[in-house]
Amino acid sequence: AILRREAAAARDLLAKSLRGVGHRSPRQHGMLHRYLALKYRKSAYPVDDEALCGTIDFACDSFARVYKAHAQIVVPILGFTPMPADDAETRAGLAKAYVDAMDKWCAVFLKKKFVGGDEPSIADFKVASFFACAEHPAVKKNFPTYEVHRPRIT
């Protein structure tokens, strides 16, 4: 019964975050990740370490640049949206922009095993699904020269 109540509360919070509040959506600011971390895994967002929380917040927010490129390459290849361009030159440019954005983000935030250290943070949970999609065989098939230099997901 307690688990059902917790699941219902998380579902309601998710529904509210997806609707947004006014012109801002709380999900864009990681509120759902922070709530879940504070409730279930405090090590993923250690509020006692302000510098680490700042790094985690910045990693979450700055991933929007990577997502913009991800949405133009990976999302269409997986069939969720149409390809933005048919010519090979434009697609190669989009792929390069994606790899550059991913490499820059990884160079800044993945100096250790996870963002901020040896424990996974909410930033790692946020970006893991994007890294997994980037490793999809369909992406590699459509972009054989595509290679992002980052730690492998284990």
Side-chain angles (χ1 to χ4, degrees):
I2 293 173
L3 186 57
R4 272 190 240 127
R5 281 196 304 264
E6 292 291 335
R11 184 188 66 237
D12 292 344
L13 181 64
L14 178 61
K16 288 177 186 174
S17 73
L18 292 175
R19 282 194 299 271
V21 179
H23 68 285
R24 292 186 180 175
S25 174
R27 69 187 162 99
Q28 293 174 336
H29 300 288
M31 289 176 67
L32 183 61
H33 290 115
R34 288 182 193 92
Y35 168 78
L36 292 172
L38 294 174
K39 181 97 172 150
Y40 298 106
R41 188 174 184 153
K42 294 183 189 297
S43 64
Y45 194 70
V47 293
D48 295 337
D49 187 345
E50 292 177 7
L52 181 55
C53 283
T55 300
I56 291 168
D57 289 339
F58 184 49
C60 288
D61 292 342
S62 66
F63 196 77
R65 180 169 184 254
V66 177
Y67 177 75
K68 183 179 178 184
H70 177 90
Q72 293 179 326
I73 293 294
V74 178
V75 174
I77 288 173
L78 297 178
F80 294 105
T81 61
M83 285 301 268
D86 286 334
D87 64 288
E89 188 176 319
T90 303
R91 291 172 93 186
L94 292 172
K96 183 179 179 344
Y98 178 53
V99 171
D100 289 347
M102 185 78 91
D103 282 346
K104 285 178 186 176
W105 190 91
C106 290
V108 171
F109 296 108
L110 292 180
K111 293 180 178 163
K112 294 187 178 180
K113 187 174 182 179
F114 299 104
V115 172
D118 296 323
E119 287 283 322
S121 69
I122 60 172
D124 297 295
F125 290 113
K126 177 178 182 172
V127 303
S129 61
F130 297 103
F131 285 167
C133 288
E135 295 289 332
H136 193 280
V139 175
K140 291 182 178 187
K141 178 182 171 195
N142 282 283
F143 289 98
T145 60
Y146 158 84
E147 180 63 37
V148 176
H149 306 289
R150 66 187 175 289
R152 299 268 315 152
I153 300 169
T154 57

